[in-house]
Amino acid sequence: MKTSLAGSLNGLRVSRETIEKLEHFGALFQKWAKSINLVAPSTLEDLWRRHIVDSLQIFQLAPTPKVWVDLGSGGGFPGVITAICLSELADGWVHLVESNNKKCAFLRVALNETGARGSVHPIRIENASAIIPHCDAISARALADLSQLLDYCAPWMLGEGANAVAYFHKGRDYQQEIDKAVSRFQFDLVKHASVVERDSVVLEIANLSRRTK
């Protein structure tokens, strides 16, 4: 890695204990990435900024103990990073949903070796709500467009007692995705500017409902 975590935080406040756990995660990630395609190879040289610090933004927006569902966890972004941050609070939990068994193996090792507060569910997203009926927050990164993500999130955000808040990383074309999604859904939206990528955001979505024709 060309940079260190401490030199890439861009103003985010992280304890020394959490930094040490994130550094251990980074070393594990680099080791496993040699044999498993966890992220695009072209981004490995900038692992801290492009992936770890980018993922840290999620917990910074919601830094209290919550039950999270992380959809399409892949290489652990942002789910494992959130789970590592929760370990400092000794409360909260992250359910990592990932259908690729090789990636699930990595995620389990990462959670175990960092003492992160999370568990891995090797299932398809469409089946996740049957196993995880309730959560407070949902995250997803580089998974699908906003309309599809809201369809995935519907079991935890729609209906009586379903009041989860979703946090989605989005790139510079995010407004097009919002415009498409509002034709099918109504929701409260907060756009948080990314501390990592100019023109990128984290979309915070709450009070979801479907539009009726």
Side-chain angles (χ1 to χ4, degrees):
M1 286 173 277
K2 291 183 177 179
T3 58
S4 67
L5 177 56
S8 305
L9 287 174
N10 292 354
L12 299 182
R13 299 181 65 179
V14 182
S15 72
R16 167 46 56 183
E17 180 183 3
T18 297
I19 286 177
E20 290 175 354
K21 291 181 178 182
L22 292 170
E23 288 174 340
H24 184 66
F25 169 81
L28 280 173
F29 188 95
Q30 292 280 25
K31 178 181 177 180
W32 280 69
K34 293 177 182 178
S35 57
I36 299 176
N37 185 26
L38 296 173
V39 295
S42 61
T43 66
L44 275 174
E45 286 296 310
D46 199 9
L47 176 63
W48 292 124
R49 187 184 68 88
R50 287 283 299 273
H51 298 294
I52 294 178
V53 175
D54 193 36
S55 296
L56 273 171
Q57 294 183 91
I58 296 294
F59 185 76
Q60 298 278 324
L61 294 174
T64 56
K66 299 182 188 306
V67 175
W68 289 79
V69 171
D70 185 57
L71 301 176
S73 298
F77 307 118
V80 171
I81 307 304
T82 300
I84 288 172
C85 292
L86 286 174
S87 67
E88 186 173 331
L89 303 181
D91 201 355
W93 199 259
V94 182
H95 295 281
L96 299 117
V97 179
E98 172 57 51
S99 61
N100 182 291
N101 286 326
K102 290 183 179 180
K103 291 179 180 178
C104 285
F106 164 71
L107 294 171
R108 291 189 188 97
V109 170
L111 291 173
N112 183 59
E113 292 201 15
T114 60
R117 295 186 61 81
S119 53
V120 181
H121 302 273
I123 55 177
R124 292 180 59 82
I125 292 171
E126 295 85 349
N127 301 327
S129 63
I131 297 173
I132 314 159
H134 171 78
C135 70
D136 304 308
I138 306 164
S139 59
R141 182 173 180 267
L143 178 63
D145 71 13
L146 183 57
S147 293
Q148 181 65 69
L149 288 172
L150 295 177
D151 279 329
Y152 286 151
C153 293
W156 300 288
M157 297 185 74
L158 293 174
E160 185 177 355
N163 58 356
V165 177
Y167 298 86
F168 302 134
H169 290 83
K170 286 297 173 183
R172 63 180 62 187
D173 296 328
Y174 67 88
Q175 189 59 51
Q176 295 179 24
E177 295 191 31
I178 294 172
D179 293 343
K180 177 183 175 183
V182 296
S183 69
R184 299 180 54 223
F185 296 96
Q186 291 178 299
F187 47 83
D188 294 339
L189 173 66
V190 180
K191 304 174 187 177
H192 300 279
S194 172
V195 302
V196 173
E197 297 289 347
R198 184 179 178 181
D199 300 327
S200 295
V201 294
V202 175
L203 301 180
E204 178 180 345
I205 295 176
N207 298 320
L208 183 70
S209 62
R210 293 190 189 274
R211 290 190 182 275
T212 57
K213 295 182 179 180

